């Protein structure tokens, strides 16, 4: 049996720092492997709807070969929680908000993003917004670790199903 590619939604507060970096990191990792998944990002807040990612996020992503400049902030909605296979919150506050928004039958598809990374379970991706460029670089590292963990899990699941 073939395991279909998952659809992934990353969610942070404003959708201009962490979640667009996570979207860019996963797209980058997928492109490097010739994989095509549905990947998106959103925020729980409404403040940055229609806005591009933070310029510092754009610079960090670009330095690692990912172009996120064309992304635009949007707010997560109930439809996202049904449409996506996996909704990954960047921190505990956003996870709580997503669980409040999610229909009961979709709660199992909502998780903390770093729970996928061995040894990082229960950790939040720090919000770099009020910091300097180094915070954005750390967020990129976390996003890359999440992307690699997602792909490794999918490959493992596909291997188990095919073997």
């Amino acid at each position: 049996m073939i395991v279909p590619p998952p659809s992934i939604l990353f969610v942070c507060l404003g959708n201009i720092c962490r979640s667009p970096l996570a979207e860019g990191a996963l797209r980058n990792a997928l492109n490097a492997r010739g994989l095509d998944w549905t990947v998106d990002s959103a925020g729980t807040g409404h403040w940055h709807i229609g806005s591009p990612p933070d310029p510092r996020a754009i610079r960090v992503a670009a330095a690692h070969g990912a172009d996120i400049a064309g992304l635009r902030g949007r707010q997560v909605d109930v439809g996202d929680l049904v449409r996506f296979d996996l909704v990954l919150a960047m921190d505990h506050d956003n996870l709580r908000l997503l669980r409040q928004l999610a229909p009961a039958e979709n709660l199992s598809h909502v998780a903390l993003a770093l729970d996928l990374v061995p040894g990082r379970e229960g950790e939040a991706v720090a919000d770099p917004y009020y910091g300097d460029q180094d915070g954005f670089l750390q967020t990129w590292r976390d996003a890359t670790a999440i992307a690699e963990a997602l792909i490794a899990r999918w490959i493992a699941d596909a291997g188990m199903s095919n073997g």
Side-chain angles (χ1 to χ4, degrees):
M1 181 175 167
I2 296 174
V3 177
S7 56
I8 309 293
L9 178 66
F10 295 103
V11 180
C12 67
L13 185 60
N15 193 213
I16 61 168
C17 298
R18 294 172 290 175
S19 57
L21 281 170
E23 179 181 348
L26 181 55
R27 288 185 187 279
N28 225 25
L30 292 168
N31 288 339
R33 291 168 175 84
L35 297 172
D36 185 26
W37 296 4
T38 299
V39 181
D40 199 358
S41 61
T44 54
H46 60 79
W47 312 280
H48 300 293
I49 293 173
S51 298
D54 186 289
R56 297 166 294 178
I58 293 171
R59 281 194 301 272
V60 165
H64 292 91
D67 181 6
I68 64 169
L71 299 180
R72 292 297 175 261
R74 70 179 191 84
Q75 190 172 18
V76 69
D77 62 37
V78 174
D80 290 324
L81 297 162
V82 174
R83 185 172 39 258
F84 286 90
D85 296 320
L86 187 58
V87 179
L88 296 172
M90 296 291 116
D91 63 36
H92 298 91
D93 288 338
N94 287 297
L95 179 62
R96 180 182 46 75
L97 291 169
L98 288 169
R99 286 184 173 156
Q100 289 172 353
L101 184 63
E105 65 273 13
N106 293 91
L107 280 175
S108 64
H109 304 296
V110 177
L112 194 60
L114 279 171
D115 279 353
L116 298 170
V117 179
R120 302 287 307 273
E121 298 88 347
E123 291 183 31
V125 176
D127 189 347
Y129 186 74
Y130 292 105
D132 59 17
Q133 194 70 21
D134 289 340
F136 284 84
L137 183 56
Q138 182 57 51
T139 299
W140 177 263
R141 287 186 198 114
D142 287 347
T144 300
I146 294 161
E148 293 299 327
L150 277 165
I151 293 170
R153 178 177 285 190
W154 180 76
I155 290 171
D157 288 349
M160 286 188 291
S161 295
N162 292 325

